[in-house]
Amino acid sequence: MNRTPRILMFATLVNTIGNGAYLTTSALFLTRSVGLSTGQVAAGLSAAAFAGMVLSTPMGYVVDRLGAKRVQLAALLGNALCFAGLTRVHGVWAYAMIACLIAVGDATVKAANGALIAAAVPAGERVRTRAFLRSTSNAGIAIGTLAGGVPLALDSRAGYVAVLLGNAASFLIAFAVIMCIRDAAPVAAPAGGPRMVALRDRPFMAFALVDGLTAALYNEITSLALPLWLVTYTHAPVTLVSVALLINTVGCVTLQVWAARGTETAAAAIPVARRGALVVAAACVLFGLTAHRTSWLVVALVVAASVVHVLGELWLSSATGAVVFDLAPEWAQGQYQAAQQTGRQIGNLAAPPILTGLVIGLGAAGWLGVAAIFAAAGWLVPAIVRHRLTAAPASADAVA
């Protein structure tokens, strides 16, 4: 691994520790310290999701044209100022504005990270490098989540402000670390072509939408659907959710690089994506089998389902990285990375009502419905990627 990925990994670790601590404490800070209602917090988050969805791809275009390092530094500095600014927020409008800026900044950093990897790492090593970054990110969030437990227990404004300033400092440290990267010159785009080339790549955008929904669903299964399910349909302790989340975290930190082996190209990602989707579908079936079972059987099934779930998640994530890197023109890596994030943001808006409507509304049959969505994705993603690969010469002419 060359110098750039190592620098990105260290910057990611520092930054995600700060983000993990903030995510742990943000809800109580905004409601208890700032005085916002839960509805106002939700409105601010929805506005942020919409801003990220609309502006991610344009910011990816900026990454490609101005240089990934330069734009990432600007986004890191902007987010540091935003989190420091949250300490002065006293109303919903100020919170919503800052939340929108943070969402756009986060999407820009992710697009720039992908572009930096593409510029510094040979094509065959990009997915493996991305896997190392994802493992590092999960480790940082886990550490930050544990650190955030202290101010959460104190439940004081001083503690919450310390978390915000600590997170702002993590962005500044990441800024200083990224300064050490040797910036690659932006790759010139073909003259006379459209600017938002990723949005015109219909097969890729179809992939981004399916990927965004499946990723949002597998992320929310253990954090949203499972706790609501355990309370509603079982007699098992809700603390079992912590066991499921621990299994997921340990799996993502230790097995992501292993799961990425052999997934260097979009063609190689096809069977991996199918396998990952079907494995998550199997996990949903196992979760559904816990309805009205004895506590010990619920525990056994949830542990088994969590192990199966994280394996599917790892394969799906590896396949996604290969598809995005491989299908993007070298002069539009940042834009394609950002367009994929747009799909994720759309999925984040759609996943909660889908999961709660199916799982809580329909019970065990709802889990089968979620499994069917993943099974369908296991067919759709390979079909979309195959179509894009066979149509690649025509697509390249269309977007050039």
Side-chain angles (χ1 to χ4, degrees):
M1 189 183 294
N2 67 35
R3 188 165 175 262
T4 294
R6 290 193 181 97
I7 294 172
L8 287 175
M9 286 174 62
F10 183 70
T12 297
L13 179 64
V14 172
N15 200 193
T16 51
I17 289 174
N19 285 338
Y22 171 71
L23 290 173
T24 303
T25 59
S26 61
L28 286 184
F29 163 71
L30 293 168
T31 53
R32 291 180 181 271
S33 182
V34 178
L36 302 182
S37 67
T38 54
Q40 289 174 323
V41 173
L45 292 174
S46 296
F50 182 77
M53 183 174 64
V54 171
L55 295 177
S56 287
T57 305
M59 292 308 298
Y61 173 83
V62 173
V63 166
D64 291 321
R65 301 286 67 82
L66 298 184
K69 176 183 174 180
R70 182 186 304 176
V71 177
Q72 182 165 17
L73 289 174
L76 289 169
L77 183 58
N79 272 7
L81 293 173
C82 285
F83 278 103
L86 277 177
T87 63
R88 310 299 298 172
V89 164
H90 298 290
V92 64
W93 292 108
Y95 164 64
M97 181 182 70
I98 291 179
C100 289
L101 292 174
I102 290 172
V104 175
D106 283 344
T108 304
V109 168
K110 290 175 181 176
N113 267 344
L116 284 169
I117 292 171
V121 179
E125 291 293 317
R126 290 172 181 173
V127 177
R128 183 170 179 268
T129 302
R130 181 180 178 274
F132 274 110
L133 282 178
R134 189 169 190 261
S135 295
T136 303
S137 177
N138 280 286
I141 290 173
I143 295 169
T145 299
L146 291 174
V150 176
L152 200 64
L154 295 174
D155 191 20
S156 67
R157 178 169 177 81
Y160 296 137
V161 168
V163 170
L164 289 170
L165 295 179
N167 197 20
S170 79
F171 281 95
L172 294 177
I173 295 171
F175 178 97
V177 172
I178 296 296
M179 285 286 291
C180 300
I181 290 178
R182 181 180 300 171
D183 198 8
V187 180
R195 293 185 177 183
M196 297 294 103
V197 61
L199 298 181
R200 292 171 177 260
D201 189 339
R202 292 184 210 173
F204 180 81
M205 290 309 299
F207 163 79
L209 290 172
V210 176
D211 170 73
L213 178 60
T214 54
L217 287 173
Y218 68 59
N219 283 329
E220 297 283 0
I221 280 174
T222 49
S223 61
L224 174 65
L226 183 59
L228 295 176
W229 170 262
L230 291 175
V231 169
T232 307
Y233 289 97
T234 78
H235 298 292
V238 74
T239 51
L240 190 54
V241 174
S242 298
V243 176
L245 290 172
L246 179 63
I247 291 171
N248 187 270
T249 300
V250 172
C252 287
V253 171
T254 61
L255 298 177
Q256 184 65 73
V257 177
W258 164 81
R261 289 178 184 172
T263 316
E264 289 83 20
T265 65
I270 289 173
V272 178
R274 182 190 300 111
R275 182 196 316 148
L278 293 177
V279 168
V280 177
C284 292
V285 174
L286 289 174
F287 281 125
L289 291 176
T290 61
H292 309 300
R293 307 291 182 182
T294 58
S295 292
W296 69 267
L297 185 55
V298 172
V299 171
L301 285 170
V302 167
V303 169
S306 299
V307 172
V308 174
H309 170 273
V310 75
L311 289 174
E313 174 183 338
L314 294 173
W315 281 319
L316 282 170
S317 175
S318 299
T320 295
V323 170
V324 178
F325 279 125
D326 200 24
L327 297 189
E330 290 303 311
W331 49 270
Q333 284 285 346
Q335 189 179 148
Y336 272 67
Q337 298 284 339
Q340 183 241 342
Q341 289 301 315
T342 299
R344 291 288 173 97
Q345 288 150 352
I346 293 172
N348 288 340
L349 290 174
I354 290 174
L355 279 177
T356 53
L358 287 175
V359 172
I360 306 306
L362 300 180
W367 281 111
L368 294 178
V370 179
I373 293 174
F374 280 100
W379 172 79
L380 269 175
V381 169
I384 291 169
V385 174
R386 280 198 200 94
H387 171 68
R388 175 60 169 77
L389 290 173
T390 56
S395 297
D397 293 339
V399 299

